[in-house]
Amino acid sequence: MSEALDKLELENEARKEAKSSENEAVKDANRIKRTLKRKKWVDWKEQDEQDAASGVKREPFDPAERIKRKKSAILLSYSGANYYGMQRNPGMQTIEEELFKAMLKHKWITEDSFEQVQIASFQRAARTDKGVSAARQVCSVKLPEELDLEAFNADLPEQIRLFGVERVTKGFNAKDQCNARTYTYTLPTMAFAPHEEKVEDLHDTFRISPELLEKVKETLKLYEGTKNFHNFTSKKSFLDPSSKRFIMSFTSSEPFQSPQGIEFVTLKVKGQSFMLHQIRKMVGLAIAIVRGNTTTTSLERALTEERLDLPMAPGLGLVLDTVHYERYNVRYGKDGIHNPLTWQAQDAQVQEFIEREIFSQIYKTEAEQRNMLDWIGTLHYHSYDTRKEDGPPAPTDGKRSKAGDDDNDE
């Protein structure tokens, strides 16, 4: 019995020694990491020597400059016409690059956060690609409590404006808490003219009839509900669960004339989330159906396991209109600490910006370059039938069109 106890005691001592050795190894590793980190980020001696050689002297650290930052939601509007998308991309002119430069200048973020925005917990609600605009984009980021929006906007290009900032919960994420998104697609009504008509002669003078507009609305309504949209994106199969998306509504405005005298309508689609190219392909097939290039049977088949050849509308006209936070607003919007993310106070400013910077660009580009007219000329290339390996040539937006995508696959 005593031998067994002695053996157990020896084993316990051995475990303690092993544990002690393990702890020492961890401490040594952490010590090395801290040393390396100091060498990489806080080697002020070397930095001071370099600055002294160039005649620059480092200012002493002032504790008052340490700014407390809290999680915030920002309301952003921008015209994407001259930008390579929302997301930061080294060497490219993007919306985020302009935003971060202004934030750094006004000390909304630190230099470390400018280099790695994850440090500031930055997250956009939805990504927009090259040429695509946003009326009400929302991003989450840690910001100081005292902010001067007027001075901040003065350092942004005319095509980008920050209209509002709201304090949000510590765990808020602009993308994850977003429960729906609304996009608009603005296009000339001549896109819906019967395919037998010579639209080249009607681009500026075509006026849609009430009967044809009703057909547009009926066609768009066929997309509503939970359906499998694998034919409306790329590299997704029918069996992929993420191909199913819920479309809450898909409507059309009444026709209106642009300053150039061209008649337009704005299509509006609201859904939980969208896949790459989904909205542009939905619009493209709807136009083909209304024009008579194909029938609603093609749309019905496109929602089944068949793989069909479908057109994709031009990127010009696509705008991220609104990101919705209904569930967040119900839970936190009336807790006495946080405001609901509805941005009603900024609506007039946003609407004025949309008309001046976004829609005016769409009207002007369509009048001068006729993107939609060029694209309509490619509709006859499509079979609207089962896709073959050696099918007809893939249509383009035309040489002068703007590329653009809706949401990433989320």
Side-chain angles (χ1 to χ4, degrees):
M1 183 70 176
S2 61
E3 290 180 1
L5 290 173
D6 290 341
K7 185 178 180 181
L8 182 61
E9 188 175 347
L10 288 171
E11 289 177 354
N12 286 336
E13 287 295 329
R15 276 197 292 270
K16 285 180 181 178
E17 288 181 9
K19 184 67 176 176
S20 177
S21 298
E22 184 180 335
N23 289 338
E24 284 299 321
V26 171
K27 288 179 182 178
D28 288 340
N30 288 337
R31 203 176 295 117
I32 292 170
K33 285 180 181 178
R34 286 195 297 271
T35 303
L36 289 174
K37 189 173 182 180
R38 280 197 296 269
K39 285 182 179 179
K40 185 176 181 181
W41 299 110
V42 201
D43 192 352
W44 291 113
K45 183 179 179 181
E46 182 181 345
Q47 184 65 48
D48 288 342
E49 289 175 354
Q50 292 176 359
D51 290 343
S54 58
V56 178
K57 186 176 180 181
R58 174 167 60 92
E59 294 181 5
F61 173 70
D62 182 1
E65 291 186 358
R66 184 174 290 169
I67 303 170
K68 187 175 182 180
R69 294 174 172 83
K70 293 184 178 180
K71 184 66 75 69
S72 307
I74 61 174
L75 177 65
L76 198 64
S77 301
Y78 55 84
S79 170
N82 299 315
Y83 292 90
Y84 287 87
M86 165 76 176
Q87 192 170 357
R88 197 180 210 177
N89 194 357
M92 297 291 187
Q93 188 176 10
T94 65
I95 303 297
E96 286 182 7
E97 192 65 35
E98 299 285 0
L99 183 67
F100 297 150
K101 284 193 293 187
M103 284 184 170
L104 180 62
K105 180 178 180 179
H106 289 263
K107 297 185 178 180
W108 288 17
I109 60 174
T110 64
E111 290 188 13
D112 286 347
S113 297
F114 177 78
E115 297 297 332
Q116 294 184 333
V117 292
Q118 295 86 349
I119 296 174
S121 301
F122 179 84
Q123 178 61 58
R124 71 198 74 81
R127 186 194 67 135
T128 56
D129 218 324
K130 179 183 175 184
V132 178
S133 302
R136 298 172 186 85
Q137 171 76 279
V138 174
C139 304
S140 51
V141 61
K142 289 183 179 179
L143 295 177
E145 293 188 28
E146 298 296 327
L147 302 173
D148 187 342
L149 295 190
E150 186 176 349
F152 183 83
N153 281 317
D155 286 317
L156 285 174
E158 286 291 325
Q159 297 86 359
I160 306 173
R161 281 293 175 268
L162 195 154
F163 286 114
V165 179
E166 291 287 357
R167 299 299 173 203
V168 289
T169 58
K170 189 175 180 180
F172 179 82
N173 181 295
K175 181 179 178 182
D176 294 344
Q177 261 72 39
C178 175
N179 57 277
R181 297 163 176 80
T182 296
Y183 281 82
T184 61
Y185 191 93
T186 302
L187 71 164
T189 56
M190 69 86 200
F192 299 111
H195 71 282
E196 302 91 356
E197 295 188 23
K198 292 188 65 177
V199 290
E200 294 86 353
D201 302 330
L202 301 173
H203 185 271
D204 297 350
T205 58
F206 182 82
R207 299 293 180 261
I208 194 168
S209 67
E211 295 77 21
L212 192 58
L213 183 60
E214 186 60 31
K215 186 177 180 181
V216 172
K217 294 178 179 179
E218 290 173 358
T219 304
L220 297 177
K221 198 167 182 63
L222 297 175
Y223 287 114
E224 295 179 356
T226 301
K227 303 181 189 298
N228 193 307
F229 288 97
H230 74 107
N231 270 307
F232 296 84
T233 187
S234 58
K235 298 179 182 178
K236 282 197 182 290
S237 70
F238 179 77
L239 297 177
D240 189 335
S242 66
S243 295
K244 286 190 175 181
R245 301 290 162 127
F246 177 43
I247 304 300
M248 302 171 183
S249 62
F250 205 163
T251 60
S252 172
S253 71
E254 293 301 309
F256 59 91
Q257 288 190 35
S258 71
Q260 294 80 8
I262 302 173
E263 187 178 72
F264 281 80
V265 290
T266 296
L267 313 182
K268 181 177 286 190
V269 56
K270 181 180 180 180
Q272 282 185 335
S273 61
F274 298 94
M275 295 178 286
L276 186 68
H277 302 314
Q278 182 182 340
I279 295 173
R280 292 171 62 192
K281 284 205 166 190
M282 291 165 71
V283 172
L285 180 57
I287 292 172
I289 291 171
V290 174
R291 284 176 52 80
N293 292 93
T294 187
T295 66
T296 55
T297 302
S298 295
L299 195 156
E300 293 167 4
R301 291 175 62 192
L303 301 173
T304 67
E305 66 275 8
E306 288 189 77
R307 194 72 177 157
L308 301 188
D309 172 33
L310 303 178
M312 181 169 70
L316 181 70
L318 182 62
V319 177
L320 172 62
D321 183 76
T322 309
V323 286
H324 305 269
Y325 295 95
E326 280 94 351
R327 286 195 292 268
Y328 174 88
N329 291 340
V330 169
R331 186 169 181 181
Y332 300 107
K334 297 180 181 178
D335 62 1
I337 302 173
H338 306 96
N339 293 323
L341 299 179
T342 54
W343 313 104
Q344 292 179 352
Q346 294 83 8
D347 195 60
Q349 289 177 290
V350 172
Q351 204 58 48
E352 190 272 334
F353 177 87
I354 293 170
E355 291 294 336
R356 186 184 74 248
E357 297 293 340
I358 299 178
F359 285 154
S360 64
Q361 182 69 28
I362 294 172
Y363 305 148
K364 182 173 180 289
T365 304
E366 181 60 41
E368 294 175 356
Q369 301 182 9
R370 299 193 169 192
N371 292 35
M372 184 57 68
L373 185 62
D374 289 347
W375 175 78
I376 284 174
T378 70
L379 287 177
H380 67 277
Y381 288 128
H382 294 273
S383 64
Y384 307 94
D385 204 343
T386 304
R387 187 183 299 175
K388 299 177 182 178
E389 290 186 7
D390 296 317
T396 64
D397 288 351
K399 293 180 180 179
R400 299 166 300 205
S401 66
K402 304 271 185 190
D405 301 328
D406 38 272
D407 275 331
N408 265 338
D409 182 16
E410 298 176 324

